[in-house]
Amino acid sequence: QVRLVESGGGLVQAGGSLRLSCVASGRTASLYSMGWFRQAPGKEREFVANINLKRSGGSTYYADSVKGRFTISRDNAKNTVYLQMNSLKPEDTAVYSCAASIVAGPRNLVEYDYWGQGTQVTVSS
């Protein structure tokens, strides 16, 4: 019912920036939250950030590891969520996946109903 497509990944030097985009299509009116997860080789998938789609202004939540460096934002008219990543570190290297939920404020991956295929982010030292 909902399809998510990520874009914007690539190779960047440490200290640089990237902006990821996630476009949702289908029954987007059913969505209350969207977020980003990442998974590095040999690591578990971890939560990065999420944003509320229904509340005016959009409340946000970040993992401690990215707080102050990453910013999640939305454009509801375009059914798009962005992840602006600044001051990137080599440890940020991972496949970043967009996810969407029919509930508000989810933190755990089991609370998300739809997933994109992911986009690779590589940060060189």
Side-chain angles (χ1 to χ4, degrees), residues 21-35:
S21 299
C22 176
V23 180
S25 60
R27 297 181 59 85
T28 57
S30 66
L31 303 179
Y32 277 79
S33 301
M34 292 181 66

Side-chain angles (χ1 to χ4, degrees), residues 1-122:
Q1 293 182 337
V2 174
R3 177 168 293 184
L4 307 175
V5 180
E6 306 100 329
S7 63
L11 175 65
V12 66
Q13 295 271 5
S17 299
L18 285 173
R19 188 180 73 161
L20 306 183
S21 299
C22 176
V23 180
S25 60
R27 297 181 59 85
T28 57
S30 66
L31 303 179
Y32 277 79
S33 301
M34 292 181 66
W36 291 91
F37 289 77
R38 66 185 183 185
Q39 186 170 27
K43 298 286 188 178
E44 298 291 330
R45 181 178 292 175
E46 64 175 345
F47 170 82
V48 175
N50 67 15
I51 187 168
N52 184 281
L53 301 177
K54 301 297 186 182
R55 180 177 178 176
S56 179
S59 59
T60 59
Y61 188 82
Y62 298 91
D64 288 342
S65 59
V66 306
K67 194 174 300 181
R69 299 188 297 122
F70 291 10
T71 302
I72 187 169
S73 61
R74 72 186 191 192
D75 186 338
N76 285 1
K78 297 181 179 180
N79 294 317
T80 301
V81 170
Y82 305 95
L83 185 68
Q84 178 67 47
M85 305 184 293
N86 298 326
S87 301
L88 283 163
K89 306 173 182 179
E91 51 263 45
D92 294 318
T93 296
V95 174
Y96 285 71
S97 298
C98 178
S101 175
I102 62 173
V103 300
R107 306 289 188 271
N108 302 316
L109 62 88
V110 294
E111 297 177 289
Y112 289 83
D113 304 284
Y114 306 98
W115 293 84
Q117 291 185 332
T119 184
Q120 177 70 48
V121 172
T122 302

